[in-house]
Amino acid sequence: MYVPKESQPKQGGAGSGKPKDGKRKIVAQNKKARHDYAIIDTYEAGLVLTGTEVKSLRQGRASLTDGFVQIDGGEAWLHNAHIPEYTQGSWTNHSARRKRKLLLHREEIDKLSSKSEETGHTIVPLVLYFKDGRAKAEIALARGKKEYDKRQTLREKQDRRESDRAIAAAKRKQRGQ
């Protein structure tokens, strides 16, 4: 069978690496943040890490539960993100809860800085992941939810789940007839 040359996979050479399709390999998520905060806007930021931190992240070991972002001197810093020490690291190992610099564009830092100074707004990390081999963090400008907002969100989620179940049951019943 004839296959046109342009649709054949490349053999070796410069085009033979991993495809740069932008796939995300998620390392850690902050599910509590989506429950406690109303997300206003999200940003993708690069992370400045040491070698042992990257190796520990590649093992899938990290926690963002208590993490937050602070703007100091025109730079964004990630505080309280827990990346445990690399098990095979030596004296060059990192401290688990050190503050880490986030890489953002100047306009994004300025916008986040001005918005976070408003009452009730904060910047929280949502996800740590690898994209094209580079460690990234998805951060969000968020507003804290009140207790009744949290209950309302849970109620809406439960109602959606019940309606989906009812629709699925009706479809199963219809197929059975």
Side-chain angles (χ1 to χ4, degrees):
M1 178 174 132
Y2 174 74
V3 179
K5 187 168 186 164
E6 52 271 356
S7 65
Q8 292 177 353
K10 292 189 176 186
Q11 302 283 325
S16 70
K18 290 183 182 176
K20 297 258 182 185
D21 55 358
K23 291 279 187 184
R24 291 178 10 159
K25 180 186 175 242
I26 295 176
V27 176
Q29 285 185 320
N30 190 354
K31 293 180 182 178
K32 185 179 172 188
R34 294 201 185 269
H35 176 70
D36 291 341
Y37 299 99
I39 306 300
I40 297 168
D41 203 4
T42 61
Y43 299 89
E44 181 181 66
L47 285 164
V48 177
L49 300 173
T50 64
T52 55
E53 286 174 322
V54 174
K55 289 180 179 187
S56 187
L57 282 177
R58 289 204 187 277
Q59 290 179 342
R61 303 171 63 215
S63 173
L64 294 173
T65 307
D66 300 327
F68 65 94
V69 176
Q70 201 170 34
I71 310 289
D72 290 332
E75 295 179 337
W77 295 89
L78 176 63
H79 294 269
N80 278 356
H82 185 265
I83 300 175
E85 290 185 352
Y86 183 56
T87 54
Q88 288 139 357
S90 60
W91 57 272
T92 59
N93 238 333
H94 62 280
S95 64
R97 288 208 182 263
R98 74 176 188 92
K99 69 179 191 175
R100 295 163 179 93
K101 188 174 180 179
L102 294 174
L103 303 173
L104 291 162
H105 291 283
R106 171 62 46 210
E107 301 84 40
E108 292 173 334
I109 292 174
D110 293 341
K111 184 177 178 183
L112 282 170
S113 178
S114 64
K115 292 281 188 178
S116 67
E117 290 171 359
E118 295 176 12
T119 307
H121 288 82
T122 187
I123 309 167
V124 292
L126 298 177
V127 183
L128 272 180
Y129 58 92
F130 282 101
K131 181 178 177 183
D132 296 332
R134 299 182 189 269
K136 303 278 185 178
E138 183 177 326
I139 60 173
L141 178 66
R143 185 178 58 247
K145 283 186 184 177
K146 302 278 191 257
E147 194 64 35
Y148 58 84
D149 289 335
K150 293 178 190 177
R151 284 194 299 265
Q152 179 67 26
T153 304
L154 286 173
R155 193 174 300 120
E156 288 171 0
K157 189 176 178 181
Q158 188 176 10
D159 291 343
R160 245 191 330 267
R161 192 177 298 134
E162 287 175 4
S163 67
D164 289 345
R165 283 183 187 150
I167 291 169
K171 285 182 180 178
R172 277 194 303 268
K173 186 177 179 183
Q174 195 175 36
R175 274 188 263 140
Q177 289 180 349

